[in-house]
Amino acid sequence: MTAQTAMRETGSAGIRGVLLPREERPSPSNPLSASLTYGWRALLKIKHIPEQLFDVTVFPIMMTVMMTYVFGGSIGAAVSDAQMGGDAVGAYVQWLIPGVFAQTLVMITMYTGLTLNRDISKGIFDRFRSLPVWRPAQLVGALLGDQVRFTLAGVIILVVGFIMGFRPEGGVTGVLAAFVLLLVFSFCLSWVWTSVALLMRTEQAAMGVSMFILMPLTFVSNIFAPTETMPGPIRAFAEFNPVSTVVGCIRELMAGTFDLGSITMVLVYCAVLVVVFGPISMVIYNRKS
């Protein structure tokens, strides 16, 4: 055997040793671990770009203070007469905080889709789709990572509310129950903006469509005023609005009323959002080039 032949066979053996499967191979990641990994990636992006937290820090404080002290006197009079009685602004604080608490988290769910659209436009998700992991993990992980943003925004709203005089009769138990329920609803609602982000070609278009949907959902609801004060068609839409159902349930929980019917209705909305928009998101994601 010549030296050249020996070198060729040695090289072939080395290549086979690299390419052929070995007895000990790393086990593939399961759906949970893959989703958590992508969720951790979302948190690392916040670490490197902390300006992303502007919407969950400044926006909640601005909305709470502005709505209370600018509109609290006029709207609060209607609230106190129709709902609580007593001081207008004081009554409005008790009414407003649970509503703004829900509105803030519902509004910032939009940024889940915007971040996803930005990643897709940069080509990052083309690489993700080539990896041997559970395919929905990229989307689920992004939504899980945003739960930290939602939690931070909720804590800020409650702290500002307590400073302004908000005192929930349901105590810690009612507040925590409302918080958990709203986080679940926010996670499920994020699937809507995921579908929108996958359909739109630019981040600006995704934001425009999202705001077009969010504005009537949040402002034509019982967040800022009771539906009893609204004219007929507007009142009908506000009472049918799922955001009104969520806000009403949160107010009940914070007041110490655990109405199983209201909680069940919110969970039904959550299930519908995931069942409808989850598969739609995955179909668009798999077909997107």
Side-chain angles (χ1 to χ4, degrees), residues 183-287:
L183 287 176
V184 172
F185 180 77
S186 300
F187 174 83
C188 298
L189 182 63
S190 297
W191 283 104
V192 178
W193 317 127
T194 298
S195 300
V196 171
L198 291 168
L199 283 171
M200 298 296 105
R201 289 183 292 179
T202 64
E203 183 180 348
Q204 291 76 13
M207 175 178 286
V209 173
S210 301
M211 289 300 297
F212 179 78
I213 299 172
L214 275 173
M215 292 299 287
L217 283 178
T218 53
F219 284 93
V220 188
S221 67
N222 60 357
I223 290 178
F224 301 107
T227 57
E228 292 86 349
T229 63
M230 302 177 186
I234 301 298
R235 176 178 178 177
F237 177 85
E239 291 178 346
F240 180 76
N241 187 346
V243 173
S244 295
T245 303
V246 174
V247 172
C249 186
I250 289 173
R251 286 194 174 113
E252 291 174 354
L253 291 172
M254 288 189 173
T257 303
F258 289 80
D259 187 345
L260 184 59
S262 298
I263 297 173
T264 302
M265 194 64 199
V266 174
L267 295 178
V268 168
Y269 278 127
C270 293
V272 170
L273 289 171
V274 174
V275 169
V276 173
F277 291 98
I280 291 176
S281 298
M282 287 310 306
V283 169
I284 302 172
Y285 179 64
N286 289 329
R287 294 181 178 179

Side-chain angles (χ1 to χ4, degrees), residues 18-227:
V18 173
L19 297 180
L20 291 179
R22 300 181 179 180
E23 294 182 0
E24 296 183 2
R25 303 184 65 183
S27 58
S29 60
N30 57 57
L32 178 59
S33 63
S35 299
L36 292 177
T37 299
Y38 284 107
W40 179 245
R41 171 185 176 269
L43 296 181
L44 289 178
K45 290 172 63 178
I46 296 176
K47 173 185 175 182
H48 294 291
I49 311 177
E51 306 90 87
Q52 294 184 23
L53 293 178
F54 180 85
D55 59 303
V56 300
T57 53
V58 178
F59 177 73
I61 298 174
M62 180 181 66
M63 284 297 299
T64 306
V65 174
M66 181 180 67
M67 293 303 299
T68 300
Y69 295 113
V70 175
F71 302 106
S74 56
I75 302 179
V79 174
S80 60
D81 292 339
Q83 301 288 335
M84 302 180 67
D87 175 63
V89 176
Y92 193 53
V93 168
Q94 302 302 318
W95 172 270
L96 177 68
I97 295 304
V100 173
F101 179 59
Q103 184 218 21
T104 301
L105 268 67
V106 167
M107 290 289 287
I108 64 177
T109 57
M110 172 184 66
Y111 291 94
T112 300
L114 300 182
T115 303
L116 175 62
N117 185 280
R118 191 182 307 121
D119 283 344
I120 292 174
S121 64
K122 292 180 179 179
I124 297 174
F125 270 67
D126 291 334
R127 170 58 179 160
F128 288 165
R129 287 188 295 183
S130 68
L131 298 176
V133 296
W134 185 52
R135 184 57 66 90
Q138 297 90 3
L139 304 182
V140 175
L143 269 59
L144 289 176
D146 277 343
Q147 293 299 301
V148 176
R149 291 159 52 85
F150 301 158
T151 303
L152 178 60
V155 170
I156 291 175
I157 284 289
L158 293 176
V159 170
V160 173
F162 291 144
I163 294 174
M164 296 172 63
F166 176 61
R167 297 296 181 267
E169 296 180 4
V172 176
T173 303
V175 171
L176 289 179
F179 209 149
V180 171
L181 186 66
L182 186 56
L183 287 176
V184 172
F185 180 77
S186 300
F187 174 83
C188 298
L189 182 63
S190 297
W191 283 104
V192 178
W193 317 127
T194 298
S195 300
V196 171
L198 291 168
L199 283 171
M200 298 296 105
R201 289 183 292 179
T202 64
E203 183 180 348
Q204 291 76 13
M207 175 178 286
V209 173
S210 301
M211 289 300 297
F212 179 78
I213 299 172
L214 275 173
M215 292 299 287
L217 283 178
T218 53
F219 284 93
V220 188
S221 67
N222 60 357
I223 290 178
F224 301 107
T227 57

